[in-house]
Amino acid sequence: MAIVELKNVHKKYPLGKTEVHAVQGVSFEITKGDFVSIAGPSGSGKSTTLNLIGCIDTATEGDVLINGINTKGLKDKVITNLRHDTLGFIFQSFNLIPVLNVYENIEFPLLLGSGKRGKRAEERDWIDHLIEEVGLADWRNHKSNELSGGQRQRVAIARALVTKPEIVLADEPTANLDSKTGEDILNLMKRINREQNTTFIFSTHDATIVEMADHIIRLKDGLIVKNERVSR
Amino acid sequence: MKYIKIALRNLSREKKRSFLLGGAIAFGLLIITIVNCASAGAVKAISENITKIADGHIFIQGQNKLESGNEVSSLADKEEILQIIDESGINVIKLNMRSEVRADLIFGDENTRSAISGMNWDREIDVKNGFRFKEGNLDEAIAEKYGIIINQKLAETLDVHLGDSIIAKVMTVTGQTNVGDFIVSGILEGTDMLSSMSSYANIDYINELLGLEKDDYQTIYIRLESLEVVDPAADKLYSLLGERFQMKERTDNSNVDLFSLAFKNDEAEWEGQRYSLTAVTEMVGILDQFVGVVDAVSFSVLILLFLIIIVGVANTFRMIMYDRVKEIGSMRAMGMQMWGVRSIFLFEGFFLSLAGAFSGIIIAGLIMFGLSFIDLGTDHAGAFFLNNGHLVFIPVVIPIIRNVLIVGLLTVLAVLFPANKAAKLDPAKAIAAMY
Ligand SMILES: Nc1ncnc2c1ncn2[C@@H]1O[C@H](COP(=O)(O)OP(=O)(O)OP(=O)(O)O)[C@@H](O)[C@H]1O
Ligand SMILES: [Mg+2]
C-alpha cells in the first residue's frame, strides 16, 4: 500500500475577487521508504502539494490519503495529532525556535505529543544519537542564532526525525544554502532515508538535487508533467 | 509545564518589550498600593494622635440644664458612673479625670479663646511624657499652682513668654462669670492643629475657677488596651449608663453624609442632668469614610490606568503574534495543538502581569519604608496625619491581593484575543509568511 496517495487533488486560493488554481487535479502514489522529489519551476504548485501532503492545508477537491487514511474532513485536533505522529517537517528557512538550544529544539516535538512520553533516558539517548547523526555533537547547547545556515538545517533534520515519523517533508530545504552545503544536506537526508527507511519528500528547482531522488514528480502550472520512479 | 517554560523564555527574549509592559503594570500597582497603605496609615495616625492628646479612648461628660435654661457642665453622679465602669467588665488600662474650661485669655491688648484642661499631674504620666518644651521645663511647669502650659502658637498669638501673667475669663458651673490669673509656666513646641487645641493647668485651680470642689472633675477619660476594642466597649458602657441615667444621643458616623455633617443639628429637647459618652473612634469614623472615598477614587484610577495598560498589552501581543507567525506556523506543523499556542500566549501575559505586579508592590514597599524615615515635622496642620512627624503606612493585604488578581485577570483577558488569533492561524500560510 502506498504511504501517500493523492487522488485528483485541486487547490484553489481566493485572490481578491478571483481565485488562483494552484493545483489543478493531481494524482500520484508514494511508496514507503522512497526518496521523492517534487520538481518544477516557480509557481508550479510544489509548496501547495507538499502542504497538502503535510496536512497543514486542505484540498479544495479530491482526496489526500496518508497511510490509507483519508484526511478529508478530519478535526483539527486529529489532523494535528496525525502531523505529530506520522509527519516530520523541514522548512526552507529552518524555523528553529530561537529561545531554545540545539538539544531543546530537537526535543521540542516530543513535548507536543498527545500520548505518554517515553522514558527520559531513552529520549535523551535518541536525541543525542540524532545530534551525532547530523554532526552537531559539539553544538549541542548552542542557541540557533549561533549556528550557520547549514548547521541550522541539520538541527531541523534531526528535529523532523525525533518523533520517528514515517514521512519527512522538506519544502526547498536547500534554497537558503550555498550549493555545496545544500548537497551535504541532501546527502545527509539520503543517508537517513537509507538507514532508517524513512520516506522523504522534498521540493526543489535545483536540477542536480532532483537527480538524487528515486521518484521524481514534475509539476508545471499545477499539473503533473512527469511522474517517474527511477530504480538505482 | 513545557509551555510555561517556553512562555518564560519568550518573555526574556523580548526584554525591552517585557520590561516596558511589566513596568507599566508595576507602576500602576505601585501607585495604588502606596495610596491604600497611606490612607489606612493616616487613619491610624489620626486615631492615635487623638488618643494621645486626649489621653483616652472613651470620654464621659455631664451637663445640667439650669432653671435659667443655661447648660452647665456637671458630673453629678460620678461615684455611680465610676462604679458602673468598674463593674462593666471592660478592661480599663487607665482612668483619668479632668476639669475643662473654655476661657478668654487676655494679655495686654491681645486676647484669644482656648480650652484649658485641668490636670491631675500625678496621674497624667503619658501627657507629661509627650510634652516637648520650647520654653520652661516639665518639673517647674507643673509645680506652679497657678501655672498654665500653653502651646507655641497660642503664645505667639498672645505674645507672651515664660513667667508672664495672663488673665482668664471663664464661666462657672452655675453660669457666673469669673476671672483668674495664670502664670505662663511652660510653652510647648509645635504649631500643629492638634497640640494647639488645648492648654493645661492644675486641676485644683481650674476647679476653683469653675466653682467646683477641690477634688472634683468634669470628664472621665477611659484608656483601653487598643483602638480595636473601643467600639464594643463604648457601646456596652453607653447602654449600661443608659439604664441609670439620661444620656445624650451618640453620633453615629457610620452612615452620615460626608457633606451634610457640618450643618448637622441633632438636638432633641432635654431637662435636668444628662451624660454624654464619646469614643475616639467616632471622631475618626468620619475619616474612615474619607479613606473609603480615597480608596474608591484610587481604585477607579487604577481601573482606568489598567484599561489603558490592557490596550497596550493587547496591542503588544498582537505585534508579538505577527513577529512570531512563522514560529507559530512551524510549531503547529510539528503537532502543537491550538490550545498549546493559546496557552503560551496566556502564560506569557500571566507571568508578565505577575512579575509586574510583584515588582510594583515590592518597590512600593521600599518607597514606603524609605518615606517613613523622613521627619516631616509636627509644626503644621498635616502633622495630624502623621505619627510624630512620620508618615504611617499600613500593609493592607486584602486590597493588595484584590489588585493583583484584577491586574492578572485583565492582562490575561487582554492577551486572550491575540492568543486566540495566534491559535487559529492557518499553519501553511503562517509558515509561508514573509514577515
Ligand atoms: N496562500 C495563497 N494565496 C493565494 N495564492 C497562493 C497562495 N499560496 C500559493 N499561491 C499561488 O499558487 C500558485 C502555486 O504556488 P506554490 O507556492 O505552490 O508554488 P511553488 O511551486 O512552491 O513555487 P516556488 O518555487 O516559488 O516556491 C502560485 O501562483 C502562487 O502565487
Ligand atoms: Mg514553494
Side-chain angles (χ1 to χ4, degrees):
Chain A
M1 184 192 65
I3 193 162
V4 173
E5 189 178 357
L6 267 66
K7 291 184 189 165
N8 191 28
V9 168
H10 291 257
K11 179 70 192 181
K12 294 173 186 166
Y13 292 110
L15 191 78
K17 285 197 176 113
T18 60
E19 45 184 28
V20 183
H21 207 158
V23 174
Q24 314 188 7
V26 161
S27 305
F28 59 81
E29 289 184 10
I30 288 170
T31 313
K32 184 167 168 54
D34 271 3
F35 200 61
V36 187
S37 167
I38 296 182
S42 185
S44 58
K46 304 185 292 293
S47 297
T48 306
T49 306
L50 273 174
N51 289 347
L52 293 170
I53 300 170
C55 301
I56 55 176
D57 209 347
T58 47
T60 321
E61 211 187 305
D63 300 293
V64 177
L65 285 78
I66 306 293
N67 259 341
I69 301 163
N70 195 330
T71 59
K72 190 184 264 174
L74 293 180
K75 283 208 190 90
D76 181 79
K77 193 174 180 233
V78 179
I79 298 253
T80 306
N81 281 334
L82 175 82
R83 281 201 299 269
H84 177 266
D85 298 340
T86 317
L87 299 161
F89 290 85
I90 298 166
F91 306 100
Q92 179 181 327
S93 48
F94 327 129
N95 295 13
L96 300 182
I97 298 173
V99 290
L100 304 180
N101 66 26
V102 166
Y103 180 93
E104 291 164 333
N105 259 294
I106 298 169
E107 182 194 27
F108 186 76
L110 293 178
L111 311 178
L112 302 175
S114 57
K116 251 183 89 181
R117 276 184 74 174
K119 284 208 180 70
R120 287 304 156 95
E122 280 173 25
E123 276 186 10
R124 204 181 49 237
D125 289 347
W126 171 233
I127 296 166
D128 281 334
H129 169 77
L130 287 172
I131 292 176
E132 196 82 33
E133 190 88 342
V134 298
L136 288 175
D138 295 340
W139 299 85
R140 193 176 181 274
N141 298 317
H142 287 250
K143 289 267 163 63
S144 65
N145 54 11
E146 297 161 21
L147 305 178
S148 71
Q151 288 171 321
R152 288 183 203 195
Q153 201 59 304
R154 286 165 188 272
V155 177
I157 291 169
R159 179 176 67 178
L161 293 167
V162 76
T163 54
K164 302 183 179 158
E166 291 172 80
I167 308 157
V168 171
L169 300 167
D171 191 7
E172 314 238 15
T174 59
N176 282 358
L177 303 171
D178 60 74
S179 56
K180 166 78 177 63
T181 316
E183 215 166 295
D184 289 348
I185 288 294
L186 250 289
N187 281 323
L188 173 62
M189 284 166 51
K190 179 110 190 175
R191 201 182 77 221
I192 291 163
N193 162 253
R194 291 281 172 271
E195 284 171 9
Q196 297 176 11
N197 200 30
T198 308
T199 313
F200 275 78
I201 309 171
F202 63 94
S203 73
T204 184
H205 45 231
D206 183 332
T208 53
I209 285 173
V210 173
E211 294 312 316
M212 294 174 74
D214 38 30
H215 181 175
I216 303 166
I217 299 167
R218 284 187 198 278
L219 297 177
K220 192 165 186 255
D221 298 332
L223 285 166
I224 296 181
V225 290
K226 199 170 174 192
N227 182 1
E228 57 173 350
R229 209 147 174 274
V230 209
S231 42
R232 286 164 215 265
Chain B
M1 221 20 232
K2 56 207 176 190
Y3 296 144
I4 292 178
K5 198 167 141 191
I6 293 173
L8 288 174
R9 293 210 191 174
N10 280 342
L11 283 175
S12 69
R13 127 192 187 198
E14 315 260 6
K15 283 200 182 62
K16 195 172 155 202
R17 196 139 64 182
S18 305
F19 192 79
L20 284 175
L21 264 184
I25 292 170
F27 180 74
L29 262 165
L30 179 141
I31 298 294
I32 186 95
T33 303
I34 292 180
V35 169
N36 284 343
C37 294
S39 58
V43 167
K44 180 142 192 269
I46 291 163
S47 310
E48 279 175 353
N49 283 334
I50 292 175
T51 307
K52 197 150 61 181
I53 286 294
D55 197 31
H57 293 109
I58 298 174
F59 320 110
I60 299 170
Q61 289 174 308
Q63 290 158 300
N64 198 338
K65 200 170 245 177
L66 302 176
E67 303 284 309
S68 60
N70 278 354
E71 291 170 23
V72 295
S73 147
S74 150
L75 209 58
D77 307 288
K78 54 175 73 73
E79 300 304 329
E80 209 171 330
I81 292 172
L82 287 178
Q83 196 179 343
I84 290 173
I85 295 171
D86 193 36
E87 290 168 1
S88 66
I90 293 165
N91 184 14
V92 175
I93 300 297
K94 196 170 67 178
L95 269 180
N96 273 331
M97 293 81 172
R98 293 183 191 168
S99 287
E100 259 131 2
V101 64
R102 290 198 68 80
D104 286 318
L105 299 176
I106 304 155
F107 181 76
D109 294 338
E110 310 293 338
N111 76 87
T112 186
R113 231 175 134 69
S114 170
I116 307 173
S117 296
M119 312 288 275
N120 183 340
W121 288 121
D122 293 339
R123 301 182 66 116
E124 301 277 5
I125 313 290
D126 295 322
V127 175
K128 283 194 292 194
N129 288 342
F131 284 163
R132 283 192 279 171
F133 282 90
K134 188 164 184 280
E135 290 183 34
N137 64 65
L138 181 67
D139 291 339
E140 288 173 20
I142 65 175
E144 173 57 59
K145 188 191 171 205
Y146 301 106
I148 184 167
I149 300 171
I150 60 173
N151 169 268
Q152 176 183 350
K153 204 167 181 178
L154 195 69
E156 280 161 17
T157 310
L158 289 173
D159 195 20
V160 293
H161 291 280
L162 203 64
D164 285 341
S165 178
I166 54 180
I167 297 164
K169 235 176 17 185
V170 304
M171 193 189 267
T172 68
V173 291
T174 51
Q176 262 91 36
T177 304
N178 197 2
V179 174
D181 282 329
F182 281 102
I183 295 161
V184 177
S185 61
I187 295 175
L188 298 175
E189 271 182 24
T191 53
D192 62 282
M193 193 159 146
L194 258 179
S195 45
S196 57
M197 271 186 340
S198 195
S199 304
Y200 305 93
N202 201 315
I203 190 168
D204 293 346
Y205 186 43
I206 295 290
N207 285 345
E208 198 181 308
L209 285 176
L210 285 169
L212 292 172
E213 293 294 316
K214 193 171 183 294
D215 54 358
D216 208 345
Y217 47 86
Q218 285 175 305
T219 309
I220 298 172
Y221 288 76
I222 304 168
R223 168 76 80 107
L224 304 172
E225 54 198 308
S226 72
L227 273 174
E228 283 69 39
V229 300
V230 171
D231 282 328
D235 291 346
K236 188 171 183 188
L237 209 49
Y238 185 81
S239 71
L240 285 173
L241 290 170
E243 290 169 15
R244 286 283 298 111
F245 308 113
Q246 183 182 193
M247 297 296 292
K248 187 183 175 190
E249 218 180 304
R250 284 177 78 192
T251 36
D252 174 13
N253 278 326
S254 60
N255 52 14
V256 288
D257 179 351
L258 201 57
F259 303 101
S260 67
L261 192 85
F263 312 103
K264 201 166 74 174
N265 187 1
D266 66 330
E267 283 292 82
E269 279 301 308
W270 62 283
E271 296 289 320
Q273 173 74 41
R274 72 167 186 180
Y275 295 95
S276 67
L277 181 145
T278 317
V280 70
T281 46
E282 289 164 21
M283 303 179 184
V284 296
I286 192 81
L287 287 161
D288 274 335
Q289 280 202 346
F290 166 74
V291 168
V293 172
V294 169
D295 281 352
V297 169
S298 62
F299 187 66
S300 323
V301 172
L302 176 87
I303 295 291
L304 195 74
L305 189 65
F306 279 114
L307 286 181
I308 296 166
I309 292 174
I310 271 10
V311 173
V313 169
N315 233 327
T316 306
F317 275 87
R318 211 169 48 92
M319 273 158 55
I320 287 176
M321 186 196 81
Y322 286 122
D323 282 357
R324 295 193 201 147
V325 154
K326 254 192 154 63
E327 186 180 322
I328 294 165
S330 30
M331 292 195 296
R332 290 277 288 132
M334 285 185 279
M336 182 182 281
Q337 298 285 0
M338 284 185 182
W339 63 261
V341 177
R342 201 179 291 127
S343 23
I344 290 179
F345 271 74
L346 293 180
F347 278 129
E348 264 180 67
F350 177 73
F351 286 118
L352 188 72
S353 65
L354 211 65
F358 277 107
S359 19
I361 290 169
I362 287 167
I363 295 167
L366 293 175
I367 290 175
M368 292 189 283
F369 185 70
L371 286 177
S372 65
F373 279 106
I374 300 171
D375 190 349
L376 297 167
T378 52
D379 54 346
H380 50 83
F384 201 59
F385 297 91
L386 307 173
N387 175 17
N388 273 330
H390 292 272
L391 285 166
V392 180
F393 298 100
I394 294 178
V396 279
V397 177
I398 291 172
I400 291 174
I401 292 174
R402 176 201 64 190
N403 294 341
V404 173
L405 288 179
I406 290 175
V407 168
L409 198 75
L410 285 179
T411 316
V412 169
L413 279 178
V415 179
L416 201 59
F417 187 67
N420 273 332
K421 225 175 148 178
K424 289 194 181 128
L425 279 175
D426 180 336
K429 276 191 197 143
I431 292 163
M434 290 311 285
Y435 36 21

